[in-house]
Amino acid sequence: MLSLWFLQPKKKRKDKMQIKQINPGTETVYGTLNVLVSGYDMTLVEHYSQYVHNLCNRLKIKVDESYALPTKTTELILVQEQGTKIHVDSVLKTHKRVVQVSDLSSTLAPVFLEVLLRNQPEGVELLVKEHTEEQFQARLKRRPELEGLIAKIS
């Protein structure tokens, strides 16, 4: 069998992510909103963010994108009263998912939020905020060594 590997298109390199124009909204329509779902149980957070995404699709709310934010790890340390020993008691990992919606009408917003709150599982935190440039930058992984090299060059 003849292989035509040279006819296959070359893979494109991923370009840097560009920030999109932030939609401020009007009096009757909200602009770009971030629905932030966070919690300690990854499966609950993931399933609830899928539920939010599916609900938006059913209610014909435009979903711009859906993504995960970096996981934050917190160590709880136990110190004995009259000792110098420190024990790591537990490690908590906070998982965050964002569903970005736009053009949500002001008449549909209370219904949408009521349904989300009624079906919110225990241990999952829900936060709805306007999208800002800082939130866009928060989803990107910081690389301090690269930033240091760029600062040296310029």
Side-chain angles (χ1 to χ4, degrees):
M1 189 156 178
L2 185 61
S3 174
L4 301 175
W5 60 269
F6 55 89
L7 293 178
Q8 295 175 352
K10 290 185 178 181
K11 293 183 180 179
K12 293 183 181 179
R13 296 180 98 193
K14 288 187 179 181
D15 293 331
K16 286 187 175 182
M17 291 184 64
Q18 299 293 325
I19 187 165
K20 297 176 186 175
Q21 188 71 22
I22 296 175
N23 182 5
T26 61
E27 288 183 14
T28 59
V29 177
Y30 288 99
T32 305
L33 298 174
N34 285 345
V35 180
L36 178 70
V37 178
S38 64
Y40 297 115
D41 188 357
M42 184 177 172
T43 55
L44 269 179
V45 171
E46 189 69 35
H47 284 268
Y48 189 61
S49 64
Q50 286 176 0
Y51 173 77
V52 171
H53 197 286
N54 290 336
L55 180 65
C56 290
N57 289 340
R58 281 191 215 115
L59 295 176
K60 295 185 178 40
I61 299 170
K62 182 181 173 189
V63 176
D64 288 340
E65 56 186 334
S66 182
Y67 55 90
L69 290 176
T71 301
K72 298 229 186 325
T73 304
T74 307
E75 289 183 352
L76 297 177
I77 298 175
L78 181 66
V79 180
Q80 295 177 352
E81 285 183 28
Q82 297 192 357
T84 58
K85 291 185 180 179
I86 298 175
H87 299 286
V88 175
D89 192 35
S90 60
V91 177
L92 298 175
K93 292 184 178 181
T94 306
H95 305 279
K96 295 183 180 182
R97 301 289 182 269
V98 176
V99 179
Q100 195 174 82
V101 298
S102 62
D103 301 330
L104 176 63
S105 70
S106 60
T107 55
L108 186 59
V111 175
F112 174 63
L113 292 174
E114 180 71 24
V115 171
L116 287 181
L117 290 173
R118 293 276 174 148
N119 295 303
Q120 181 180 359
E122 286 185 28
V124 173
E125 186 179 328
L126 179 70
L127 180 66
V128 180
K129 294 168 73 173
E130 279 190 86
H131 180 65
T132 60
E133 188 173 339
E134 292 84 36
Q135 291 169 343
F136 176 79
Q137 295 297 331
R139 73 183 272 196
L140 304 175
K141 194 172 188 179
R142 304 213 65 211
R143 296 171 64 184
E145 67 277 351
L146 183 63
E147 291 172 359
L149 291 173
I150 292 173
K152 286 181 181 177
I153 292 172
S154 48

